Amino acid sequence: MRKLLRQPLYIRIELLLLTALPLGMLLWWHTAPENGYIYDDAYISYRYAVNLANGHGLVWNVGDAPTQGYTNFLFVVLIALGVRLGIEAVYTAHLLNALGLALISLALYSMARLFFARPYLRILPSLAATLLPLSLINALTGMETIFWTGLLFSAIALGLQFVATRRTIWLVWHAVIAFLACLTRPESVLFAVLWFAALFLIGQRRRAVLFAMLAFGMAGVLYLLWLQSYFGAVLPNSFYVKVTDPFILPGLFYIREFFEQAVAPIAGALLFAVGTVLLLRRALRLSLAFLALNGALLSLLGFYTLTYPFMGLYHRFVYPALIVFILWAGVGFVAIAERVVQARAALRYATFGTLSLSLCLAAAQTVATGVAEPQSAGALFYVNRRMGMALAQLPNASQITVAYNDAGILPFVSGVRHMDTVGLNENRIAREGKERGWLWIIGYVLGNRPDLIGFYTYPDGTVFNFGHGLIGGYYSVLASARDFLENYTYAGGFDAEWVHIQWYVYNQSPHREAILQAVQAIADFKTYTVRMP
């Protein structure tokens, strides 16, 4: 604190603007009724966190074997810590994302300070990135996206400090934060490899980089050994479910969305490439490190071409790549602007400052218009929450098994035993389903005799044969199976606008009457005619 107070006044003003503006805007968005929503998928992490906080371990259902149905280990652990301290999981996630937003802002500012001495103009890349509506939306969804991105750019900023100063302490902190990023999202390992390679080739202390790589690798090996011993597998269940046939590049959907929606910052980066050239002339080694360390995040675009698209567009999965383009555009613009305002004409300086801020924010708003939908979490979310709250009122809710393909808010609020038909939170479906096939998965679900089975239909009653996992295209087979028709009775249905959710109760379930009463009491449909496609 004393060191901060000893800084010049303009630096303190810059730091205040960098943190107060984004966090203030985030708080305002958070308190607006139309913006206060969480992604359904976020509750998957929250359920694991709550179970961990309550001493049950990293399990999906209490009493079951450990399950790696998440891909954000550190985020889950930190939420569990918050729950232990008495903070609700949702609020803990919001606090972590607020921290992530501040880290993004400070990291981008730290990078800009390495190149620009003139105050105030150099904060524009940070503000353009953190006041981006997409950044605020991602921070409010309850997912780990913003927290993770904050760690990524913090690691980059620390790596640049190492290149600039050659001090080992910056390299040590770079390795530590990079490892934390890997614990938050596994694809960060790809970035870490590229970062160490860049620091080894561009930096001037190669022996120190090698030692850091060795320590990083040893920590990674220990973590992998723990995963194998605790979960019985190194890879998360999402790998088995999402990576189907990578050679056909199924995730090109993400990349097309990215280049269609992110045209403004990409065009800005190209437009202001001449500014980056000015940086190269000013500090070649540092500029190369700046381009290489940030450019490593663009490998995320290639990574997601190998996965089968799940729910969510590019702004959720490849968000860090968007910030890279905004950073490059902003830094290039500041480099050009500084050249123009060297005459120190006050009016010209003020004009360029205003225009640059307008440009960055206009580009940010352009990106947001195609994907930002903060008004509602969607009817499906609220229908699932209503069903979950009804089940939670049953006296033996924790003993009721529900088979359903949505693993978010419903299992979280209900406290039931959930059988995830997709497989993300069901080890056998995830690890054996690809080899055994979708027909085995249907037999596995019905063979376990869940007390309640749910699936989607179109509004006209036709079974919705499109969804996640191997079973996604075959719900009509489940709904028409003889075993299902003979042993399950219609309990009720719900209208989620674009789909209807149909629920069936097991005839021999000891909870049959209680479930029927609970569902019928709140259902939109008491009877329903299901049609096969």
Side-chain angles (χ1 to χ4, degrees):
M1 187 66 181
R2 291 181 180 178
K3 186 176 181 181
L4 176 62
L5 293 175
R6 288 197 297 267
Q7 295 292 329
L9 178 61
Y10 67 85
I11 290 182
R12 282 179 280 166
I13 293 176
E14 285 179 323
L15 292 174
L16 177 63
L17 293 172
L18 288 171
T19 53
L21 286 178
L23 294 181
M25 185 67 72
L26 180 63
L27 179 62
W28 178 57
W29 275 46
H30 177 68
T31 55
E34 68 272 16
N35 294 334
Y37 76 95
I38 308 292
Y39 272 1
D40 187 70
D41 287 0
Y43 287 92
I44 296 175
S45 300
Y46 302 164
R47 179 165 164 124
Y48 280 106
V50 169
N51 285 338
L52 178 61
N54 291 333
H56 302 299
L58 289 166
V59 298
W60 182 241
N61 293 311
V62 174
D64 285 358
T67 307
Q68 199 177 175
Y70 54 83
T71 53
N72 52 359
F73 172 76
L74 180 61
F75 197 66
V76 168
V77 171
L78 292 176
I79 292 176
L81 178 61
V83 172
R84 288 288 293 177
L85 295 174
I87 308 173
E88 290 186 23
V90 173
Y91 296 134
T92 305
H94 280 320
L95 290 173
L96 290 173
N97 279 324
L99 172 62
L101 197 65
L103 288 176
I104 294 171
S105 187
L106 294 172
L108 269 55
Y109 171 68
S110 173
M111 289 185 244
R113 279 192 64 184
L114 292 174
F115 298 103
F116 308 116
R118 190 183 299 273
Y120 305 123
L121 202 59
R122 62 192 179 183
I123 71 174
L124 294 179
S126 293
L127 293 180
T130 54
L131 294 178
L132 176 73
L134 228 50
S135 298
L136 301 174
I137 292 170
N138 276 324
L140 291 173
T141 60
M143 304 291 287
E144 74 283 352
T145 306
I146 296 296
F147 175 71
W148 171 54
T149 305
L151 292 177
L152 293 178
F153 282 98
S154 296
I156 292 172
L158 291 165
L160 283 175
Q161 289 290 341
F162 169 68
V163 174
T165 64
R166 304 182 191 176
R167 293 180 59 188
T168 306
I169 186 64
W170 296 117
L171 178 62
V172 172
W173 278 112
H174 166 78
V176 170
I177 302 301
F179 188 73
L180 293 179
C182 292
L183 293 181
T184 306
R185 292 289 308 179
E187 56 264 42
S188 305
V189 174
L190 174 61
F191 310 146
V193 171
L194 296 174
W195 287 338
F196 280 122
L199 292 175
F200 181 80
L201 295 173
I202 299 173
Q204 295 179 304
R205 299 193 59 188
R206 293 186 172 181
R207 181 175 296 183
V209 175
L210 286 175
F211 277 117
M213 291 171 60
L214 180 62
F216 182 92
M218 291 176 62
V221 169
L222 291 175
Y223 176 62
L224 293 178
L225 290 174
W226 174 78
L227 288 176
Q228 182 63 43
S229 64
Y230 188 75
F231 296 106
V234 169
L235 297 171
N237 287 351
S238 60
F239 170 81
Y240 303 101
V241 175
K242 293 179 69 173
V243 181
T244 52
D245 188 357
F247 296 104
I248 65 173
L249 303 180
L252 282 176
F253 168 83
Y254 292 133
I255 313 310
R256 286 197 302 269
E257 286 290 329
F258 178 80
F259 283 104
E260 288 175 5
Q261 302 287 352
V263 61
I266 294 172
L270 296 175
L271 179 63
F272 298 121
V274 63
T276 308
V277 173
L278 295 176
L279 295 183
L280 290 172
R281 294 179 59 187
R282 183 185 306 181
L284 178 61
R285 188 182 301 275
L286 189 60
S287 300
L288 289 175
F290 170 76
L291 294 174
L293 294 178
N294 284 288
L297 299 187
L298 299 184
S299 62
L300 194 62
L301 299 174
F303 175 85
Y304 271 104
T305 63
L306 306 178
T307 62
Y308 181 76
F310 263 30
M311 188 175 182
L313 299 179
Y314 87 87
H315 62 279
R316 174 176 158 189
F317 294 104
V318 295
Y319 168 79
L322 179 64
I323 301 303
V324 170
F325 282 113
I326 292 175
L327 171 63
W328 283 353
V331 167
F333 185 87
V334 174
I336 296 172
E338 280 208 336
R339 281 297 184 92
V340 175
V341 301
Q342 281 178 351
R344 299 186 179 181
L347 180 60
R348 186 179 300 172
Y349 185 88
T351 301
F352 263 90
T354 303
L355 288 176
S356 58
L357 181 60
S358 301
L359 175 69
C360 292
L361 294 182
Q365 186 64 48
T366 301
V367 178
T369 54
V371 293
E373 297 179 357
Q375 289 78 19
S376 171
L380 183 60
F381 175 88
Y382 296 111
V383 164
N384 284 333
R385 185 174 66 175
R386 181 153 52 108
M387 179 67 174
M389 294 175 68
L391 293 175
Q393 301 302 313
L394 299 180
N396 299 313
S398 62
Q399 300 174 23
I400 296 174
T401 300
V402 176
Y404 186 44
N405 61 299
D406 268 348
I409 185 70
L410 191 154
F412 181 80
V413 300
S414 65
V416 298
R417 295 183 60 81
H418 177 243
M419 176 180 289
D420 183 2
T421 57
V422 174
L424 286 176
N425 304 288
E426 191 75 26
N427 287 335
R428 287 201 65 188
I429 292 179
R431 299 173 189 175
E432 301 178 34
K434 189 183 299 185
E435 179 180 347
R436 292 174 177 261
W438 57 268
L439 194 58
W440 174 83
I441 295 176
I442 292 174
Y444 175 81
V445 171
L446 293 175
N448 277 275
R449 292 292 187 256
D451 300 289
L452 201 59
I453 293 180
F455 54 84
Y456 300 161
T457 64
Y458 289 102
D460 67 357
T462 305
V463 176
F464 189 81
N465 271 339
F466 182 79
H468 307 334
L470 290 174
I471 196 177
Y474 302 98
Y475 284 105
S476 60
V477 178
L478 183 151
S480 60
R482 181 177 179 181
D483 192 3
F484 177 79
L485 296 174
E486 292 179 351
N487 290 287
Y488 284 84
T489 300
Y490 187 73
F494 296 86
D495 185 355
E497 296 180 356
W498 62 279
V499 291
H500 293 167
I501 301 96
Q502 312 301 341
W503 290 99
Y504 290 78
V505 63
Y506 180 46
N507 295 334
Q508 305 302 319
S509 169
H511 316 288
R512 181 179 184 276
E513 294 306 317
I515 291 174
L516 274 173
Q517 291 179 15
V519 176
Q520 287 279 309
I522 62 168
D524 298 319
F525 312 114
K526 313 300 182 183
T527 60
Y528 202 88
T529 301
V530 173
R531 300 180 176 87
M532 296 301 128

Coordinates of all heavy atoms in Angstrom, one line a residue, residues 10-53:
Y10 N -0.6 10.6 -11.4 CA -1.3 10.2 -12.6 C -1.3 8.7 -12.6 O -2.3 8.1 -13.2 CB -0.5 10.7 -13.8 CG 0.9 10.2 -14.0 CD1 1.1 9.0 -14.7 CD2 2.0 11.0 -13.6 CE1 2.4 8.6 -15.0 CE2 3.3 10.5 -13.8 CZ 3.5 9.3 -14.5 OH 4.7 8.8 -14.7
I11 N -0.4 7.9 -12.1 CA -0.4 6.5 -12.0 C -1.6 6.0 -11.1 O -2.3 5.1 -11.4 CB 0.9 5.9 -11.6 CG1 2.0 6.1 -12.7 CG2 0.8 4.4 -11.3 CD1 3.3 5.5 -12.4
R12 N -1.7 6.7 -10.0 CA -2.8 6.3 -9.1 C -4.2 6.6 -9.7 O -5.1 5.8 -9.5 CB -2.7 7.1 -7.8 CG -1.6 6.5 -6.8 CD -1.5 7.3 -5.6 NE -0.7 8.6 -5.8 CZ -0.7 9.6 -4.9 NH1 -1.4 9.6 -3.8 NH2 0.1 10.6 -5.2
I13 N -4.3 7.7 -10.5 CA -5.5 8.0 -11.2 C -5.8 6.9 -12.3 O -6.9 6.4 -12.4 CB -5.5 9.4 -11.8 CG1 -5.4 10.4 -10.8 CG2 -6.7 9.6 -12.8 CD1 -5.3 11.8 -11.3
E14 N -4.7 6.5 -13.0 CA -4.9 5.5 -14.0 C -5.4 4.2 -13.3 O -6.3 3.5 -13.8 CB -3.5 5.2 -14.7 CG -3.1 6.3 -15.7 CD -1.8 6.0 -16.3 OE1 -0.9 5.4 -15.6 OE2 -1.6 6.3 -17.5
L15 N -4.8 3.8 -12.2 CA -5.1 2.5 -11.6 C -6.6 2.6 -11.1 O -7.3 1.6 -11.1 CB -4.2 2.2 -10.4 CG -2.7 1.9 -10.8 CD1 -1.8 1.7 -9.6 CD2 -2.7 0.6 -11.6
L16 N -7.0 3.8 -10.6 CA -8.3 4.0 -10.1 C -9.3 3.8 -11.3 O -10.3 3.1 -11.2 CB -8.5 5.3 -9.5 CG -9.9 5.7 -9.0 CD1 -10.4 4.7 -7.9 CD2 -10.0 7.1 -8.5
L17 N -9.0 4.4 -12.4 CA -9.9 4.3 -13.6 C -9.9 2.8 -14.1 O -11.0 2.3 -14.5 CB -9.4 5.2 -14.7 CG -9.5 6.7 -14.4 CD1 -8.8 7.5 -15.5 CD2 -11.0 7.1 -14.3
L18 N -8.8 2.2 -14.1 CA -8.7 0.8 -14.6 C -9.5 -0.2 -13.8 O -10.0 -1.2 -14.4 CB -7.3 0.3 -14.6 CG -6.3 1.0 -15.7 CD1 -4.9 0.6 -15.4 CD2 -6.8 0.5 -17.1
T19 N -9.6 0.1 -12.5 CA -10.4 -0.9 -11.7 C -11.8 -0.4 -11.4 O -12.8 -1.2 -11.4 CB -9.6 -1.1 -10.3 OG1 -9.4 0.2 -9.7 CG2 -8.4 -1.8 -10.6
A20 N -12.0 0.9 -11.1 CA -13.3 1.4 -10.7 C -14.3 1.4 -11.8 O -15.5 1.0 -11.6 CB -13.1 2.8 -10.2
L21 N -13.9 1.7 -13.1 CA -14.8 1.8 -14.2 C -15.4 0.4 -14.5 O -16.6 0.2 -14.6 CB -14.2 2.4 -15.4 CG -14.0 4.0 -15.3 CD1 -13.3 4.5 -16.6 CD2 -15.4 4.6 -15.2
P22 N -14.5 -0.6 -14.8 CA -15.1 -2.0 -15.1 C -15.8 -2.6 -13.9 O -16.9 -3.1 -14.1 CB -13.8 -2.8 -15.4 CG -12.7 -1.8 -15.7 CD -13.0 -0.6 -14.9
L23 N -15.3 -2.5 -12.7 CA -16.0 -3.1 -11.6 C -17.3 -2.4 -11.3 O -18.3 -3.0 -10.9 CB -15.1 -3.2 -10.3 CG -13.9 -4.1 -10.5 CD1 -13.1 -4.1 -9.2 CD2 -14.3 -5.5 -10.8
G24 N -17.3 -1.0 -11.4 CA -18.5 -0.3 -11.2 C -19.6 -0.6 -12.3 O -20.8 -0.8 -11.9
M25 N -19.2 -0.8 -13.5 CA -20.1 -1.2 -14.6 C -20.6 -2.6 -14.3 O -21.8 -2.9 -14.5 CB -19.4 -1.1 -15.9 CG -20.3 -1.4 -17.1 SD -21.5 -0.1 -17.4 CE -20.5 1.2 -18.0
L26 N -19.7 -3.5 -13.8 CA -20.2 -4.9 -13.5 C -21.2 -4.9 -12.4 O -22.2 -5.6 -12.5 CB -18.9 -5.7 -13.2 CG -19.2 -7.2 -12.8 CD1 -19.8 -7.9 -14.0 CD2 -18.0 -7.8 -12.3
L27 N -21.0 -4.1 -11.4 CA -21.9 -4.0 -10.3 C -23.2 -3.4 -10.8 O -24.3 -3.9 -10.4 CB -21.3 -3.1 -9.2 CG -22.2 -2.9 -7.9 CD1 -22.5 -4.2 -7.3 CD2 -21.6 -1.9 -7.0
W28 N -23.2 -2.4 -11.6 CA -24.5 -1.9 -12.2 C -25.2 -2.9 -13.0 O -26.4 -3.1 -12.8 CB -24.1 -0.7 -13.0 CG -25.4 0.0 -13.6 CD1 -26.5 0.4 -13.0 CD2 -25.6 0.1 -15.0 NE1 -27.4 0.9 -13.9 CE2 -26.9 0.8 -15.2 CE3 -24.8 -0.1 -16.2 CZ2 -27.4 1.1 -16.4 CZ3 -25.4 0.2 -17.4 CH2 -26.6 0.8 -17.5
W29 N -24.5 -3.7 -13.8 CA -25.2 -4.7 -14.6 C -25.7 -5.8 -13.7 O -26.8 -6.4 -13.9 CB -24.2 -5.3 -15.6 CG -24.1 -4.5 -16.9 CD1 -24.0 -3.2 -17.0 CD2 -24.1 -5.1 -18.2 NE1 -23.9 -2.8 -18.3 CE2 -23.9 -4.0 -19.1 CE3 -24.1 -6.4 -18.7 CZ2 -23.9 -4.2 -20.5 CZ3 -24.1 -6.5 -20.1 CH2 -24.0 -5.4 -20.9
H30 N -25.0 -6.1 -12.6 CA -25.4 -7.2 -11.7 C -26.7 -6.8 -11.0 O -27.5 -7.7 -10.8 CB -24.3 -7.5 -10.7 CG -24.6 -8.5 -9.7 ND1 -24.8 -9.8 -10.0 CD2 -24.9 -8.4 -8.4 CE1 -25.1 -10.5 -9.0 NE2 -25.2 -9.7 -7.9
T31 N -26.8 -5.6 -10.6 CA -28.0 -5.2 -9.9 C -29.2 -4.9 -10.8 O -30.3 -4.8 -10.3 CB -27.7 -3.9 -9.1 OG1 -27.2 -2.9 -10.0 CG2 -26.7 -4.2 -8.0
A32 N -29.0 -4.8 -12.1 CA -30.2 -4.6 -13.0 C -31.0 -5.9 -13.1 O -30.4 -6.9 -13.4 CB -29.6 -4.2 -14.4
P33 N -32.3 -5.8 -12.8 CA -33.1 -7.1 -12.8 C -33.0 -7.8 -14.1 O -33.0 -9.1 -14.1 CB -34.5 -6.5 -12.6 CG -34.3 -5.2 -11.9 CD -33.1 -4.6 -12.5
E34 N -32.9 -7.2 -15.2 CA -32.9 -7.9 -16.5 C -31.6 -8.6 -16.8 O -31.5 -9.3 -17.8 CB -33.3 -6.9 -17.7 CG -32.2 -5.9 -18.0 CD -32.4 -4.6 -17.1 OE1 -33.1 -4.7 -16.1 OE2 -31.8 -3.6 -17.5
N35 N -30.6 -8.3 -16.0 CA -29.2 -8.9 -16.3 C -28.8 -9.9 -15.3 O -27.8 -10.5 -15.5 CB -28.2 -7.8 -16.3 CG -28.4 -6.8 -17.5 OD1 -29.0 -7.2 -18.5 ND2 -27.9 -5.6 -17.3
G36 N -29.6 -10.1 -14.3 CA -29.1 -11.0 -13.2 C -29.4 -12.4 -13.5 O -30.4 -13.0 -13.0
Y37 N -28.7 -13.1 -14.3 CA -28.9 -14.5 -14.6 C -27.6 -15.3 -14.6 O -26.5 -14.7 -14.8 CB -29.7 -14.7 -15.9 CG -28.8 -14.5 -17.2 CD1 -28.2 -15.6 -17.8 CD2 -28.6 -13.2 -17.7 CE1 -27.5 -15.4 -18.9 CE2 -27.8 -13.0 -18.8 CZ -27.3 -14.1 -19.4 OH -26.5 -13.9 -20.6
I38 N -27.7 -16.6 -14.5 CA -26.5 -17.5 -14.5 C -26.8 -18.5 -15.6 O -27.9 -19.0 -15.8 CB -26.4 -18.2 -13.1 CG1 -26.4 -17.2 -12.0 CG2 -25.1 -19.0 -13.1 CD1 -25.2 -16.3 -11.9
Y39 N -25.7 -18.9 -16.3 CA -25.8 -20.0 -17.2 C -26.2 -21.3 -16.4 O -25.7 -21.6 -15.3 CB -24.5 -20.2 -17.9 CG -24.3 -19.4 -19.2 CD1 -25.2 -18.5 -19.6 CD2 -23.1 -19.6 -19.9 CE1 -25.0 -17.8 -20.8 CE2 -22.9 -18.8 -21.1 CZ -23.9 -17.9 -21.5 OH -23.7 -17.2 -22.6
D40 N -27.0 -22.1 -17.1 CA -27.4 -23.4 -16.4 C -26.2 -24.2 -16.2 O -26.1 -24.9 -15.1 CB -28.4 -24.1 -17.4 CG -29.0 -25.3 -16.7 OD1 -29.8 -25.2 -15.8 OD2 -28.7 -26.4 -17.1
D41 N -25.3 -24.2 -17.1 CA -24.1 -25.1 -16.9 C -23.2 -24.7 -15.7 O -22.5 -25.5 -15.2 CB -23.2 -25.0 -18.2 CG -23.8 -25.8 -19.3 OD1 -24.9 -26.3 -19.2 OD2 -23.2 -25.8 -20.4
A42 N -23.4 -23.5 -15.2 CA -22.6 -23.0 -14.1 C -22.9 -23.9 -12.8 O -22.0 -24.1 -12.0 CB -22.8 -21.6 -13.8
Y43 N -24.1 -24.3 -12.8 CA -24.6 -25.0 -11.6 C -24.0 -26.4 -11.5 O -24.0 -27.1 -10.4 CB -26.1 -25.1 -11.5 CG -26.7 -23.8 -11.2 CD1 -27.1 -22.9 -12.2 CD2 -26.9 -23.4 -9.8 CE1 -27.7 -21.7 -11.8 CE2 -27.5 -22.2 -9.5 CZ -27.8 -21.3 -10.5 OH -28.4 -20.1 -10.2
I44 N -23.4 -26.9 -12.6 CA -22.6 -28.2 -12.5 C -21.4 -28.0 -11.6 O -21.2 -28.8 -10.7 CB -22.1 -28.6 -13.9 CG1 -23.4 -28.9 -14.8 CG2 -21.2 -29.8 -13.8 CD1 -23.0 -29.2 -16.3
S45 N -20.7 -26.9 -11.8 CA -19.5 -26.6 -11.0 C -20.0 -26.3 -9.5 O -19.3 -26.8 -8.6 CB -18.8 -25.3 -11.5 OG -18.3 -25.5 -12.8
Y46 N -21.1 -25.7 -9.4 CA -21.6 -25.4 -8.0 C -21.9 -26.6 -7.2 O -21.7 -26.7 -6.0 CB -22.8 -24.4 -8.1 CG -22.5 -23.1 -8.8 CD1 -23.6 -22.3 -9.2 CD2 -21.2 -22.7 -9.1 CE1 -23.4 -21.1 -9.9 CE2 -21.0 -21.5 -9.7 CZ -22.1 -20.7 -10.1 OH -21.9 -19.5 -10.8
R47 N -22.5 -27.6 -7.9 CA -22.9 -28.8 -7.2 C -21.6 -29.6 -6.7 O -21.6 -30.0 -5.6 CB -23.7 -29.7 -8.1 CG -24.1 -31.1 -7.5 CD -25.2 -31.7 -8.3 NE -25.4 -33.1 -8.0 CZ -26.6 -33.6 -7.6 NH1 -27.6 -32.9 -7.5 NH2 -26.7 -34.9 -7.4
Y48 N -20.6 -29.6 -7.6 CA -19.4 -30.2 -7.2 C -18.8 -29.5 -6.0 O -18.3 -30.1 -5.0 CB -18.4 -30.3 -8.3 CG -18.6 -31.4 -9.3 CD1 -19.1 -31.2 -10.5 CD2 -18.3 -32.7 -9.0 CE1 -19.4 -32.2 -11.4 CE2 -18.5 -33.8 -9.8 CZ -19.0 -33.5 -11.1 OH -19.2 -34.6 -12.0
A49 N -18.8 -28.1 -6.1 CA -18.2 -27.3 -5.0 C -18.9 -27.5 -3.7 O -18.3 -27.6 -2.6 CB -18.2 -25.8 -5.4
V50 N -20.2 -27.5 -3.7 CA -21.0 -27.7 -2.5 C -20.7 -29.1 -1.9 O -20.6 -29.2 -0.7 CB -22.5 -27.5 -2.8 CG1 -23.4 -27.9 -1.6 CG2 -22.8 -26.1 -3.1
N51 N -20.7 -30.1 -2.7 CA -20.4 -31.5 -2.2 C -19.0 -31.5 -1.6 O -18.8 -32.1 -0.5 CB -20.5 -32.5 -3.3 CG -22.0 -32.8 -3.6 OD1 -22.9 -32.6 -2.8 ND2 -22.2 -33.3 -4.8
L52 N -18.0 -30.8 -2.2 CA -16.7 -30.8 -1.7 C -16.7 -30.0 -0.4 O -16.0 -30.5 0.6 CB -15.8 -30.1 -2.7 CG -14.3 -29.9 -2.3 CD1 -13.6 -31.3 -2.0 CD2 -13.5 -29.2 -3.4
A53 N -17.3 -28.9 -0.3 CA -17.4 -28.1 0.9 C -18.0 -28.8 2.1 O -17.7 -28.6 3.2 CB -18.1 -26.8 0.6

